[in-house]
Amino acid sequence: MTTASPALRPVRNERDRKHRSPLQRWYRNHEAWVLGASGVIGFLLLWELGSRSGVVDQFFFSKPTDIASAAVREVQLARFWNDVKVSVWEFVTGYTLAVITAIPLGLIIGWYRRLSYMIDPWLNLFNSLPRIALIPLLVLWVGLGVESKIAVVFLGAFFSIIIPTVQGVRTVDRRLLDVAKSFGASQRLTFTSVVGPATVPFITTGLRLGIGRALIGVIVGEIYAQTSGLGVLIVRANENIQPDRMFFGVLIFTFSGILGVAALRRVEHYFDRWRPVSEER
Amino acid sequence: MAAQTTTSGLAPSEQQAKRRHPQPPRMRRSIKNEPLVFGIIGFVVVLIAWEAAIDLGMARASLLSSPTRIWSAAVTDFGNGALWPHIATSLLEWTVGFALAIVVGIPLGLILGTFRRIGMIVDPLLSALYATPTVALVPLIILLFGIGIGAKFAVVFLEALVTLTVSTITGVKSADPRHLETARSFGASRWLAFTSVTLPSSVPFIVTGLRIGAGRALVGVIVAEFIAANVGIGFYISLNGNLLNASRVMLGVLLVGAFGVFVGIVIGRIQRYFDRWRPAIR
Amino acid sequence: MTEQALALRATGVRMEYRDPATRERLTAIERMDIEIPEGEFVSIVGPSGCGKSTFLKIVNGLLPATEGEIEIKHSKGGSDHAMVFQDSSLFPWYSVQRNVAYGLACRGVKRKEAFARALPFIKLVGLEGFESKYPYQLSGGMQQRANLARALTVDPELLLMDEPFAALDAQTRELMQVELIRIWSEAQKTVLFITHQIDEAIFLSDRVIVMSARPGRILADITIELPRPRDLDIKRTPRFVEYEEQIWRLISKQLSVGPEAAA
Ligand SMILES: Nc1ncnc2c1ncn2[C@@H]1O[C@H](COP(=O)(O)OP(=O)(O)OP(=O)(O)O)[C@@H](O)[C@H]1O
Ligand SMILES: [Mg+2]
């Protein structure tokens, strides 16, 4: 019965890891990290060596070491910190205003079905239109100063937040609303116990999108009306053909974006404690 | 839904109150196609209020313009043909740049999503690029390509590319491992598994990428034309902003918005076409 | 006629749904008249779509009936009625304890007190030790226990249950039936219970009401004269099987000649 038949082949089990060395196992567990780091380092090396050997045009693209030294120079300048202060102020004010208006408004609009139908076309129009196209108008209304940038940051974030919020309220699970109603929950309790928690993931999505839009608002606003701020730093550096300074300015925005999104992930995580943890990662 | 409470005895033996649910005749009027009807109401109400606010002197027409003023600006500028070159140029920039981004971005995303190791290598770089507001690079691109239309193509391409690639990768990775296992257990080749499982399940993500990418491409058009151009709808807007002509600025903005809405509708159609096998929500 | 006090009386309840788009009317319930004395366990069985859930929603005040009247005994301390919904009606973002305390929170009880008052009911349904877990960390049967506890905490006169065990596997289901009988006899509630399982209805109830296919009306009102306390073995006794066959015959006739089948 158990004689080997030539037609039978052993099944290869890909998960069979017993005969791997510890180093291989360590690599397996940290593969994404190792490969990612080597990707970044490789990219920087290629850029640096390419610039030094003339394959990459330093005139436009600078090189990593130059950017680093430009960064060191910049952070010692009072003007730089003034630019940072202005940009941060624009971002924080505009974004905060957007958050405190868009979330309550979105909850209200989403809750009253007919109201939401009435406002839909306007939301759709403003969402489909790059808010930075409104900058000339905003400048016309409030001038070239910091107010016009706050306004464009506000508009950028506002619609990114309000639209998913409305969406979230509208898609609340009917059964859970029935539960609240059947226990005689007050309107307020229905909101805090059902509508709020169910909408949180939508709101955080909006907040995350809003960060990107707000940052774009800061840059474009400052490029359009060049008073001061990091956007102005970028334009000036570019005009003076100082690509190292320019890239430094751009990188500040990159890291702000990454940090902002990471911070929001924390918030999201806190609110999502009740969700089953997904298997991956 | 206030419940009435009456105290007539339900059972005479015991002192108790009975509660009635009110039974109103069900007369709530229902309107056919509520979203459309109320949408139109909302639209018209705002327009009338806007016009009235200007006519009653509650706001200055020079700043806020008004629907009729925008309309007459449209009639003038379309009538004498002044707007057409701007519209045509911007459309061309958007179309070419976005098409290039699709041709490059989606295959790139499919490759990076399918080949795990390559994906891992570029992941941090791509995330950084994704987090970067690429409009910050527009001045550099204009420096590189000059103020002609080539620079606009490049800007639009770059703006849309990252979004498209990232959402395609997400789509590929979202393919249900159970479906992939099914395909493999039937002995499907790698290619067949890709076309029968990975591709269909990443379509919704790709379409979402198209939607967001189209919007970012439009941002690219406008920003590039703000910074350096002598034709294009972004140029038209900023020029009239400098001339303090609120009506024309609003007209330009509205044209951009209308185009955005139109693109949104088209992509919605595409989405519905590809999603026809999915159970409808509600 | 009866001396006993009533917990529920439904007279001439009729229900029509209207499609908001086409304005077509659909009669879900033709006429329902029911009287339930206090403390009784009554089940409703009937073909799918005959209006059972609709009736329960009307009793629960979630839907206004087109015609007719519902009278419910007014509770002195607790709620008049509470509903045990089908699966996944727990708030996924609340812990078990907070879910169970929800009904009390709706009545304005402070969080701390509500949590304390929820505890004995969590114990009653056998969920001790799971107070701080989230619903996704419970099995289907445990979720239904929590659901039941949530309804019991408000001390309702009338407990409404809409196919509470439908999503459970056969074994868990039988266990839950036994549990429900135990809890019912301890808590002394009037229960109106909806199910598709004929044996479940007979096993649990004092009376089984059989409904016709849509538009729903009462076909039969059968008193189950099986001794209590009952255990699962009773399901194999001849009397039990007789009831089963009687009810099955009523329903199967509906299935073959009902208006649904004709259409
Ligand atoms: N919200 C609603 N709007 C319109 N029609 C409805 C609605 N809810 C139920 N119906 C219709 O009313 C009828 C009765 O529905 P109901 O849910 O009460 O049936 P049921 O007896 O509970 O069925 P099942 O045993 O399958 O749960 C069905 O024909 C259904 O299509
Ligand atoms: Mg039902």
Side-chain angles (χ1 to χ4, degrees):
Chain A
M1 283 307 243
T2 48
T3 47
S5 148
L8 292 180
R9 274 179 295 137
V11 175
R12 211 187 71 221
N13 188 349
E14 283 173 84
R15 297 224 175 99
D16 194 5
R17 293 181 194 169
K18 270 174 211 152
H19 43 73
R20 281 223 177 87
S21 74
L23 187 65
Q24 276 175 318
R25 227 173 298 147
W26 181 87
Y27 174 75
R28 275 247 139 212
N29 295 336
H30 299 82
E31 192 175 24
W33 195 89
V34 172
L35 289 180
S38 57
V40 173
I41 294 169
F43 173 74
L44 292 177
L45 268 180
L46 277 180
W47 187 358
E48 183 75 32
L49 296 178
S51 273
R52 284 179 193 269
S53 66
V55 181
V56 175
D57 195 343
Q58 281 205 51
F59 183 73
F60 290 122
F61 294 107
S62 185
K63 56 179 184 287
T65 46
D66 282 357
I67 296 172
S69 49
V72 173
R73 259 181 284 125
E74 279 294 317
V75 296
Q76 293 168 10
L77 299 175
R79 197 213 69 254
F80 169 75
W81 289 110
N82 186 50
D83 281 340
V84 172
K85 217 168 67 187
V86 171
S87 292
V88 168
W89 171 246
E90 291 163 358
F91 177 87
V92 170
T93 316
Y95 189 75
T96 310
L97 280 174
V99 171
I100 58 181
T101 51
I103 295 177
L105 269 176
L107 291 173
I108 293 170
I109 292 171
W111 187 243
Y112 297 101
R113 200 166 37 97
R114 289 182 174 169
L115 179 65
S116 79
Y117 291 153
M118 287 209 236
I119 294 181
D120 258 354
W122 291 104
L123 285 182
N124 193 4
L125 176 67
F126 276 98
N127 193 41
S128 313
L129 137 120
R131 265 77 70 186
I132 44 124
L134 295 165
I135 294 176
L137 203 59
L138 297 170
V139 169
L140 200 63
W141 289 344
V142 294
L144 289 165
V146 77
E147 294 84 358
S148 60
K149 286 107 181 189
I150 291 176
V152 73
V153 169
F154 168 80
L155 287 179
F158 180 82
F159 289 100
S160 308
I161 299 169
I162 195 169
I163 286 175
T165 306
V166 171
Q167 186 77 21
V169 177
R170 271 198 222 155
T171 51
V172 171
D173 191 343
R174 270 222 62 92
R175 273 176 310 182
L176 298 183
L177 286 175
D178 269 355
V179 172
K181 202 172 161 196
S182 93
F183 280 106
S186 61
Q187 182 113 337
R188 223 190 95 175
L189 188 63
T190 306
F191 242 88
T192 56
S193 66
V194 185
V195 181
T199 314
V200 162
F202 290 81
I203 295 177
T204 47
T205 304
L207 291 176
R208 198 150 14 93
L209 283 175
I211 288 184
R213 298 283 162 80
L215 286 176
I216 291 175
V218 170
I219 296 175
V220 182
E222 288 175 354
I223 292 179
Y224 187 85
Q226 298 176 12
T227 46
S228 60
L230 290 170
V232 179
L233 181 147
I234 292 173
V235 186
R236 291 271 184 281
N238 199 55
E239 283 168 355
N240 303 333
I241 323 277
Q242 295 170 310
D244 45 356
R245 269 184 75 206
M246 193 219 66
F247 277 113
F248 172 59
V250 173
L251 281 175
I252 295 176
F253 280 100
T254 303
F255 284 114
S256 319
I258 293 174
L259 279 181
V261 170
L264 264 180
R265 285 239 187 273
R266 280 282 170 85
V267 177
E268 221 168 336
H269 202 72
Y270 171 80
F271 279 112
D272 274 356
R273 299 186 305 293
W274 52 271
R275 250 180 238 286
V277 186
S278 72
E279 294 297 315
E280 5 160 28
R281 254 171 251 227
Chain B
M1 274 290 144
Q4 232 170 282
T5 308
T6 54
T7 38
S8 72
L10 178 71
S13 55
E14 206 180 312
Q15 172 73 329
Q16 55 186 191
K18 70 176 182 180
R19 204 205 62 193
R20 285 166 205 252
H21 293 302
Q23 314 289 334
R26 310 193 70 227
M27 291 305 274
R28 221 182 104 177
R29 289 253 216 94
S30 46
I31 296 168
K32 260 191 193 171
N33 208 344
E34 283 201 350
L36 186 67
V37 173
F38 282 92
I40 292 172
I41 294 175
F43 206 75
V44 171
V45 164
V46 171
L47 291 187
I48 291 174
W50 184 3
E51 190 72 43
I54 300 292
D55 288 351
L56 299 177
M58 281 151 65
R60 270 194 291 158
S62 61
L63 287 183
L64 203 59
S65 186
S66 75
T68 52
R69 285 173 178 80
I70 296 173
W71 176 249
S72 61
V75 170
T76 318
D77 280 5
F78 275 111
N80 63 20
L83 253 170
W84 293 116
H86 297 300
I87 293 177
T89 307
S90 294
L91 265 182
L92 182 68
E93 292 165 1
W94 185 86
T95 313
V96 172
F98 191 45
L100 281 176
I102 291 174
V103 171
V104 176
I106 294 179
L108 187 64
L110 291 176
I111 291 171
L112 295 181
T114 314
F115 299 100
R116 257 181 63 247
R117 298 238 163 87
I118 305 178
M120 284 175 179
I121 291 175
V122 298
D123 184 56
L125 291 171
L126 204 60
S127 310
L129 195 55
Y130 191 57
T132 307
T134 33
V135 286
L137 295 171
V138 175
L140 175 70
I141 294 173
I142 288 172
L143 190 67
L144 276 171
F145 290 83
I147 62 163
I149 202 160
K152 315 302 193 293
F153 293 157
V155 168
V156 175
F157 170 75
L158 184 67
E159 279 293 317
L161 178 74
V162 186
T163 314
L164 274 168
T165 306
V166 169
S167 30
T168 308
I169 294 176
T170 316
V172 171
K173 290 197 174 154
S174 76
D176 192 334
R178 275 175 311 173
H179 293 158
L180 284 172
E181 273 164 24
T182 311
R184 214 172 307 144
S185 77
F186 280 111
S189 66
R190 230 186 144 165
W191 174 248
L192 185 62
F194 178 76
T195 53
S196 66
V197 177
T198 309
L199 214 48
S201 59
S202 46
V203 161
F205 293 84
I206 295 177
V207 176
T208 305
L210 284 176
R211 189 187 292 279
I212 302 174
R216 293 190 66 154
L218 207 48
V219 170
V221 169
I222 303 293
V223 174
E225 290 175 354
F226 275 179
I227 294 179
N230 47 28
V231 64
I233 205 77
F235 170 73
Y236 178 85
I237 293 172
S238 74
L239 175 73
N240 283 298
N242 292 336
L243 298 175
L244 309 183
N245 188 330
S247 301
R248 287 211 163 85
V249 173
M250 290 226 187
L251 175 60
V253 169
L254 275 179
L255 288 174
V256 176
F259 180 67
V261 172
F262 171 74
V263 171
I265 292 172
V266 171
I267 293 176
R269 282 277 157 82
I270 298 176
Q271 193 157 16
R272 228 169 304 149
Y273 174 77
F274 279 115
D275 272 354
R276 63 199 185 286
W277 54 272
R278 233 174 263 275
I281 314 162
R282 273 189 285 180
Chain C
M1 257 183 263
T2 43
E3 298 301 306
Q4 219 177 344
L6 288 182
L8 167 76
R9 177 157 60 202
T11 5
V13 172
R14 177 185 169 78
M15 181 69 201
E16 283 173 8
Y17 282 110
R18 197 157 68 178
D19 191 318
T22 63
R23 303 197 176 190
E24 260 170 42
R25 283 157 173 283
L26 179 138
T27 309
I29 299 175
E30 192 165 87
R31 187 184 171 95
M32 290 282 279
D33 299 273
I34 293 183
E35 289 190 351
I36 301 180
E38 266 178 56
E40 222 176 57
F41 197 120
V42 177
S43 291
I44 300 182
V45 295
S48 180
C50 70
K52 303 182 294 292
S53 299
T54 302
F55 181 67
L56 218 59
K57 280 188 181 171
I58 293 171
V59 174
N60 197 17
L62 290 175
L63 270 181
T66 314
E67 266 172 45
E69 194 170 271
I70 301 280
E71 295 160 81
I72 288 175
K73 187 187 168 203
H74 186 65
S75 169
K76 282 174 211 87
S79 289
D80 294 353
H81 52 72
M83 177 102 138
V84 180
F85 290 82
Q86 234 174 305
D87 57 325
S88 55
S89 74
L90 291 173
F91 297 115
W93 39 79
Y94 286 165
S95 66
V96 167
Q97 190 160 21
R98 190 146 181 209
N99 262 297
V100 174
Y102 186 75
L104 294 171
C106 289
R107 320 182 74 222
V109 178
K110 289 270 173 306
R111 169 93 60 92
K112 231 176 159 180
E113 193 198 334
F115 269 41
R117 279 166 62 181
L119 269 182
F121 293 97
I122 293 175
K123 205 177 286 181
L124 180 69
V125 299
L127 279 181
E128 252 178 315
F130 291 90
E131 293 87 350
S132 56
K133 296 275 189 271
Y134 287 105
Y136 80 89
Q137 296 167 308
L138 305 184
S139 71
M142 289 157 86
Q143 291 188 18
Q144 273 322 84
R145 288 166 198 261
N147 223 332
L148 180 57
R150 177 171 68 184
L152 289 173
T153 40
V154 295
D155 192 20
E157 281 295 334
L158 177 62
L159 197 54
L160 305 168
M161 305 180 83
D162 189 359
E163 303 190 38
F165 308 145
L168 305 181
D169 64 90
Q171 282 157 36
T172 313
R173 196 175 179 130
E174 298 219 309
L175 277 178
M176 289 296 290
Q177 291 167 3
V178 175
E179 281 286 273
L180 180 57
I181 291 213
R182 176 181 66 79
I183 292 163
W184 170 70
S185 56
E186 260 177 60
Q188 304 277 325
K189 301 289 176 205
T190 314
V191 180
L192 182 55
F193 188 93
I194 286 177
T195 177
H196 268 124
Q197 302 283 99
I198 296 172
D199 69 318
E200 181 170 274
I202 301 168
F203 177 68
L204 294 171
S205 314
D206 299 314
R207 265 164 68 204
V208 176
I209 291 170
V210 184
M211 282 180 73
S212 73
R214 207 193 71 214
R217 70 201 144 74
I218 295 176
L219 277 185
D221 185 339
I222 298 161
T223 307
I224 307 294
E225 282 160 348
L226 294 171
R228 287 189 193 269
R230 301 171 188 167
D231 56 23
L232 287 170
D233 290 335
I234 207 170
K235 290 191 180 180
R236 282 192 290 275
T237 61
R239 293 216 25 220
F240 191 96
V241 177
E242 233 170 77
Y243 281 126
E244 248 181 327
E245 276 172 3
Q246 182 188 358
I247 294 171
W248 171 241
R249 242 176 283 127
L250 284 166
I251 293 181
S252 60
K253 225 177 274 171
Q254 289 298 309
L255 294 180
S256 49
V257 302
E260 303 278 27

